[in-house]
Amino acid sequence: MSTVDLHTLTGAYALHALSDEERGAFERHAADCEACAREALELSETAARLGLAVSVSSPSALKSRVMRRITTVRQDSPRVVPLTRPPGGGIRARRLSRWALAACVAGVAAFGGTTVWQYERAQDASEQARQSERRTDAIAAVLGASDARTAGAELAGGARGTVVVSKSRDEAVFIASGMAAPPSGKVYQLWFDDGGTMRSAGLMDSHRTAEAVLLEGAVDGASGMGITVEPAGGSAEPTSDPVALMTFPA
């Protein structure tokens, strides 16, 4: 095995990206290196949770929309109108023919509208799944980078935060566990710390207490990161005191 700094293999080990020889060497190293053993465990737990990121939950209002749409779709077969001309001339027959034609057109329109609606919902779900998969792949690439460096910190309320930085990719991932939900109408916003100037790095999901987030934008020499509570949708600059500040690993 070529010479490699075993301290840098925590991410690759967590993602099962090492050869048998490398894995054995790292496990022997981790037996005597508490920091690497802890990082590998934390990253392994996070990697397991990332599998859930590609799942797509149905919108909460989907059932009610479906039930409402059902009332517009004909469920029973239409009654057959006799084609024989009834006594009294052709006027009534023509009226019946026009009524039958109108009913057919209305039925086709309703069915077509429902089909388009169902297709659009399926397209939306498919696009959400693709976006989730791309996010998961990007996070896994940072965690598995050969030069990934990790730093952890205890956050408020017993939460735990871990940041993983890859200089070769110029990217960072923030991993949170045990985060308390933000106040109603608020969201956690992440920031790069550029020597005291905070640069937005994206938002966390306010419905998750544990999450891995790829910070938006390049690390670009940032010395660390911060987390603030901001109005839903985020802010151009911090509007509250940070709930956490973390220094990036060297």
Side-chain angles (χ1 to χ4, degrees):
M1 184 179 69
S2 58
T3 302
V4 62
D5 184 356
L6 295 173
H7 295 283
T8 68
L9 297 183
T10 53
Y13 179 80
L15 296 175
H16 306 286
L18 300 178
S19 66
D20 291 342
E21 183 182 1
E22 290 171 331
R23 184 174 64 255
F26 177 79
E27 289 175 345
R28 290 189 295 273
H29 165 75
D32 297 319
C33 180
E34 182 179 353
C36 284
R38 182 171 182 175
E39 286 180 10
L41 177 60
E42 291 173 347
L43 294 177
S44 295
E45 292 173 348
T46 300
R49 289 195 296 269
L50 289 178
L52 299 177
V54 297
S55 63
V56 178
S57 302
S58 300
S60 57
L62 180 59
K63 181 178 180 180
S64 61
R65 291 202 300 265
V66 171
M67 298 304 294
R68 186 169 62 253
R69 283 283 184 169
I70 286 175
T71 63
T72 68
V73 181
R74 184 187 296 275
Q75 300 297 311
D76 296 325
S77 300
R79 298 179 62 184
V80 178
V81 179
L83 296 180
T84 56
R85 178 172 297 182
I91 295 177
R92 184 183 176 194
R94 286 194 294 276
R95 286 176 179 171
L96 288 174
S97 296
R98 286 196 294 271
W99 176 87
L101 177 60
C104 290
V105 171
V108 170
F111 178 77
T114 302
T115 301
V116 170
W117 173 77
Q118 292 172 337
Y119 174 77
E120 289 175 347
R121 298 288 77 75
Q123 288 292 95
D124 290 345
S126 179
E127 178 58 26
Q128 290 176 19
R130 285 193 292 268
Q131 290 177 359
S132 295
E133 186 173 3
R134 286 193 290 269
R135 286 195 297 269
T136 302
D137 289 345
I139 290 171
V142 175
L143 299 183
S146 62
D147 65 339
R149 297 290 188 276
T150 305
E154 298 294 334
L155 308 182
R160 174 77 184 174
T162 302
V163 62
V164 183
V165 180
S166 168
K167 290 185 178 180
S168 65
R169 298 185 62 84
D170 203 18
E171 292 178 320
V173 169
F174 175 65
I175 304 166
S177 60
M179 292 281 288
S184 178
K186 301 288 186 178
V187 66
Y188 288 122
Q189 186 162 355
L190 306 176
W191 306 88
F192 285 113
D193 183 356
D194 294 328
T197 300
M198 307 306 281
R199 168 168 50 100
S200 179
L203 306 177
M204 296 184 65
D205 188 335
S206 59
H207 301 292
R208 293 174 181 252
T209 60
E211 186 181 8
V213 185
L214 178 70
L215 274 63
E216 295 180 5
V219 174
D220 195 24
S223 59
M225 60 167 289
I227 309 171
T228 60
V229 177
E230 302 294 336
S235 303
E237 58 184 27
T239 63
S240 66
D241 293 334
V243 298
L245 290 171
M246 297 179 64
T247 301
F248 284 161

